Amino acid sequence: MEIFIDSANLDEIRQAAESGVVDGVTTNPSLIAREGADFESTIREICRIVDGPVSAEVIATDYQGILEEARRIAALDERVVVKVPLIPEGVRAVATLSQEGIKTNLTLCFSVNQAIMAAKAGATYVSPFIGRLDDIGMDGVAVLEEIVEVFATYGFETKVLAASVRHPEHVRQAALVGADVVTIPFGVFRKLFSHPLTDQGLEKFLEDWHRARLEVKEGAGG
Ligand code: E4P
């Protein structure tokens, strides 16, 4: 499973990339707007920090507009994956962009049928939003699991990218159901490394080690 960071904050992305386990980044218009920085320079900078795919989203919602914006965004860097909303015009644009060799991510996916449309259009990624499904009382991970199963049945090449991740449990579940990628907010990412037993265990190891060294030293001196 690949791990992407779901952020447009350069400090967060830098810190996450330094961990050595990050494969890519996803952004969206809300995340970019939150940073208050210029869209193109932010995407270019993220591409310099991370050695992997970087999703950058179009704002247009009509076929021609999406195509024009997507080509402009794709030209920013070879790592760029153009994120397009999973609406009929978006799917149609992705079918064209796929033929042009432009990498795409159909986003805002909430159902198996939408995911099938993404795969048929030749999208590089499809992003089911599991947290937002949970928010409306549905089971986001169950939808994700069905998508993974259908894609395996038909050998669809589109990668399933679990998005809208809210907590570490979502990451564990995405891994268990076989998502190809999970994109994780920085706060959740940091939690993935920790366990109280690791901290307690390490403290005890170091304590035992230093005590033994001290005893050897005192023995030699005495
Ligand atoms: C995915 O690519 C989106 O940027 C993101 O995961 C949306 O998450 P949210 O539902 O927490 O906004």
Side-chain angles (χ1 to χ4, degrees), residues 4-7 25-31 34 55 57 83 105 107-108 110 127-133 135 161-166 183-185:
F4 290 1
I5 292 297
D6 196 25
S7 175
V25 171
T26 53
T27 67
N28 65 39
S30 306
L31 291 172
R34 193 182 296 165
S55 284
E57 191 160 340
K83 220 168 166 189
N105 175 355
T107 188
L108 290 166
F110 295 95
S127 294
F129 276 32
I130 57 180
R132 291 196 196 185
L133 280 165
D135 290 346
L161 192 165
S164 187
V165 160
R166 298 282 157 76
T183 190
I184 311 172

Side-chain angles (χ1 to χ4, degrees), residues 23-218:
D23 301 298
V25 171
T26 53
T27 67
N28 65 39
S30 306
L31 291 172
I32 299 266
R34 193 182 296 165
E35 298 308 315
D38 171 66
F39 170 75
E40 294 195 358
S41 52
T42 302
I43 297 299
R44 278 207 192 92
E45 188 55 32
I46 296 173
C47 290
R48 270 194 284 272
I49 299 171
V50 175
D51 186 15
V54 175
S55 284
E57 191 160 340
V58 299
I59 301 302
T61 53
D62 63 293
Y63 174 70
Q64 278 305 337
I66 293 172
L67 286 185
E68 282 160 28
E69 212 182 324
R71 289 170 186 144
R72 220 170 35 241
I73 294 174
L76 291 176
D77 192 285
E78 60 182 16
R79 293 198 172 92
V80 166
V81 174
V82 183
K83 220 168 166 189
V84 176
L86 212 162
I87 53 176
E89 294 280 282
V91 173
R92 183 179 164 211
V94 164
T96 304
L97 294 167
S98 307
Q99 304 229 325
E100 294 175 14
I102 291 178
K103 284 175 272 172
T104 53
N105 175 355
L106 270 164
T107 188
L108 290 166
C109 173
F110 295 95
S111 74
V112 177
N113 288 340
Q114 284 183 309
I116 293 170
M117 297 305 105
K120 295 294 293 179
T124 317
Y125 301 93
V126 63
S127 294
F129 276 32
I130 57 180
R132 291 196 196 185
L133 280 165
D134 290 354
D135 290 346
I136 59 159
M138 290 186 65
D139 185 344
V141 173
V143 173
L144 176 70
E145 185 171 20
E146 285 180 11
I147 294 170
V148 170
E149 198 180 316
V150 169
F151 279 30
T153 300
Y154 293 101
F156 288 147
E157 286 174 10
T158 298
K159 287 188 177 182
V160 181
L161 192 165
S164 187
V165 160
R166 298 282 157 76
H167 41 69
E169 184 60 9
H170 270 154
V171 178
R172 186 182 75 88
Q173 290 170 316
L176 280 173
V177 304
D180 297 296
V181 189
V182 62
T183 190
I184 311 172
F186 186 63
V188 176
F189 175 73
R190 277 199 301 200
K191 290 182 187 163
L192 301 181
F193 295 81
S194 311
H195 195 285
L197 290 177
T198 305
D199 298 339
Q200 285 169 30
L202 180 60
E203 203 182 318
K204 182 78 170 60
F205 282 159
L206 296 178
E207 192 187 303
D208 291 347
W209 173 262
H210 291 304
R211 190 185 312 113
R213 301 261 298 181
L214 197 66
E215 283 166 9
V216 169
K217 227 171 160 184
E218 283 172 357

